[in-house]
Amino acid sequence: AQTVTQSQPEMSVQEAETVTLSCTYDTSENNYYLFWYKQPPSRQMILVIRQEAYKQQNATENRFSVNFQKAAKSFSLKISDSQLGDTAMYFCAFMKLPRGSQGNLIFGKGTKLSVKP
Amino acid sequence: GAGVSQTPSNKVTEKGKYVELRCDPISGHTALYWYRQSLGQGPEFLIYFQGTGAADDSGLPNDRFFAVRPEGSVSTLKIQRTERGDSAVYLCASSLMGLADNEQFFGPGTRLTVL
């Protein structure tokens, strides 16, 4: 079975600075996707960034980038130029690809990020 | 366009009662997922529909939980004989066709409290 571990229950960062959230996972699959989701107090999960395991290049989305280390099964999220609106729970998630199609998401326990003015 | 909607936003019920939670996916999305998020935890998968059929219900915790999607659009999660341990936020997500590259869009969830 796949598991996702987020070892930082809470993190804080000053506005405009950079913060990195950690995630490790365990799987015997070779082909899968990894995600970071943001969940603000409104409860709605919002996709931040996605990484396909077969791609060696790390994914980037504006201020958000990942450090994907497939052999180490590590998938960290770096947020640059942190903004007050980045304050939220962040969840790392794994998805295997049954027969190439979409599978369900397996989430970690989350990291609560607070951006301070 | 409209996103995934869920009703009610909050539901309070008494132990032993029956509840129904509704999910309206994005129009045209054939894949629909239910997840349960307990306090302090990440969401956990319950069931996946492709069209009208449940393609994977391996996450349903027991036979008190049941879900339907009779016309391939709206889905209802049904919980019989509710227990206090069922208290959680129930999230629904939909994706266009359930293909690997299709994003899962989430609704705001229903917070269920069982007294």
Side-chain angles (χ1 to χ4, degrees):
Chain A
Q2 289 77 25
T3 58
V4 177
T5 302
Q6 293 180 250
S7 58
Q8 305 153 315
E10 294 191 39
M11 295 277 286
S12 65
V13 63
Q14 291 294 130
E15 194 175 8
E17 295 192 343
T18 295
V19 64
T20 298
L21 308 184
S22 301
C23 173
T24 58
Y25 60 95
D26 189 23
T27 185
S28 59
E29 303 284 331
N30 188 50
N31 193 21
Y32 49 88
Y33 285 5
L34 294 164
F35 304 83
W36 279 97
Y37 278 88
K38 171 185 178 181
Q39 188 178 43
S42 66
R43 298 197 306 241
Q44 191 141 9
M45 299 286 275
I46 302 164
L47 178 64
V48 174
I49 200 165
R50 181 182 79 182
Q51 174 80 43
E52 293 90 336
Y54 64 86
K55 289 186 177 178
Q56 292 187 336
Q57 186 173 7
N58 289 324
T60 63
E61 286 288 341
N62 301 313
R63 297 183 296 108
F64 300 88
S65 61
V66 298
N67 183 3
F68 173 48
Q69 301 289 329
K70 190 173 184 179
K73 296 180 182 172
S74 170
F75 182 62
S76 61
L77 174 70
K78 185 172 81 171
I79 306 174
S80 303
D81 185 26
S82 297
Q83 301 175 359
L84 296 177
D86 295 333
T87 293
M89 285 291 293
Y90 286 81
F91 291 94
C92 178
F94 171 98
M95 184 174 76
K96 66 178 182 180
L97 305 173
R99 299 175 298 282
S101 62
Q102 187 178 83
N104 57 280
L105 293 161
I106 299 168
F107 289 89
K109 289 189 175 184
T111 295
K112 183 177 181 181
L113 178 66
S114 299
V115 180
K116 301 184 184 303
Chain B
V4 178
S5 62
Q6 294 186 245
T7 54
S9 177
N10 292 281
K11 175 72 177 178
V12 180
T13 190
E14 294 179 343
K15 181 175 177 298
K17 299 288 189 183
Y18 167 82
V19 296
E20 290 188 352
L21 312 179
R22 176 186 169 111
C23 172
D24 280 82
I26 293 172
S27 178
H29 280 196
T30 64
L32 186 146
Y33 297 81
W34 283 99
Y35 295 86
R36 178 169 71 173
Q37 186 175 17
S38 300
L39 190 64
Q41 303 293 318
E44 292 180 310
F45 167 72
L46 294 176
I47 186 169
Y48 160 53
F49 286 90
Q50 181 58 258
T52 60
D56 182 358
D57 65 357
S58 62
L60 294 178
N62 51 60
D63 61 6
R64 296 187 297 106
F65 289 75
F66 189 70
V68 295
R69 195 185 185 199
E71 298 179 356
S73 178
V74 171
S75 177
T76 304
L77 179 65
K78 308 181 181 195
I79 311 174
Q80 298 178 323
R81 304 183 304 279
T82 52
E83 300 178 357
R84 293 194 179 88
D86 299 334
S87 296
V89 174
Y90 289 81
L91 296 169
C92 176
S94 71
S95 74
L96 182 58
M97 295 179 66
L99 299 178
D101 286 344
N102 294 157
E103 180 179 344
Q104 289 189 28
F105 293 88
F106 282 80
T110 294
R111 182 181 298 280
L112 175 66
T113 302
V114 182
L115 301 177

